[in-house]
Amino acid sequence: MDLSFSQARTLFTLAQTDGPLAIGDIAKLVSLSVAAAGRNVDQLVKLGLVERTECDQDRRVKIVALTDKGVELARAHLDAKRDSVRHMLDRLDLDQCERLSEALAPLLALTKEDLYDQH
C-alpha cells in the first residue's frame, strides 16, 4: 500500500490499542492536529483499512477502528519486521545477544503510556 508516514503511524497506533479510538485521541497519539488526523482517517477509510462511526454518547465525536483488511496489513508489516530482526539476531553469537538484551532492557521496561507521554 502507498501510505504516507502519518497514515502508517495512524494505522499502527490503532493496531496497538485495545479498541477503537476517537479521532482526537489519534491526533494526540501521533502528534497531529485533529484536522490532519481526520484527513489521514479519511484516506484510510477510502483504502478500506479503517472504519469510522459516530460515538453513541456524542454524535460529534468520530470513532475509528481497523477493518479486517487493516488488521491484516498491520499484522503482515509487524511479522515482516519481526522476521527481519530474527534474521539479524541469528547472525549474532550468544555473548552479543546477551549484551544487546541488557542494553535494551530499559526500553522494554517502558509502558505504552510512558511512550505516549513523550509526545
Side-chain angles (χ1 to χ4, degrees):
M1 297 232 118
D2 191 22
L3 300 178
S4 71
F5 181 70
S6 61
Q7 290 167 350
R9 285 178 50 211
T10 299
L11 182 81
F12 296 126
T13 296
L14 284 165
Q16 293 176 358
T17 61
D18 295 329
L21 293 173
I23 291 177
D25 293 333
I26 293 169
K28 289 176 191 171
L29 292 171
V30 297
S31 300
L32 292 174
S33 69
V34 174
R39 287 190 297 273
N40 282 337
V41 168
D42 288 343
Q43 291 302 312
L44 294 171
V45 167
K46 287 178 184 176
L47 294 170
L49 299 173
V50 302
E51 58 188 4
R52 178 183 41 223
T53 57
E54 291 179 346
C55 175
D56 292 337
Q57 292 80 23
D58 185 347
R59 295 176 94 54
R60 296 170 296 174
V61 176
K62 305 303 179 206
I63 304 297
V64 182
L66 291 177
T67 61
D68 290 343
K69 183 178 177 182
V71 169
E72 184 180 313
L73 178 64
R75 185 176 296 133
H77 176 76
L78 291 173
D79 288 347
K81 291 288 186 187
R82 207 173 283 123
D83 290 345
S84 176
V85 170
R86 278 190 191 116
H87 177 72
M88 287 188 293
L89 291 175
D90 285 344
R91 297 180 357 204
L92 298 178
D93 64 36
L94 182 59
D95 184 54
Q96 290 170 318
C97 286
E98 288 174 357
R99 287 189 313 219
L100 179 60
S101 179
E102 289 172 11
L104 292 175
L107 290 176
L108 296 173
L110 295 175
T111 63
K112 283 183 186 179
E113 292 82 25
D114 293 333
L115 293 173
Y116 291 143
D117 286 344
Q118 299 300 314
H119 294 285

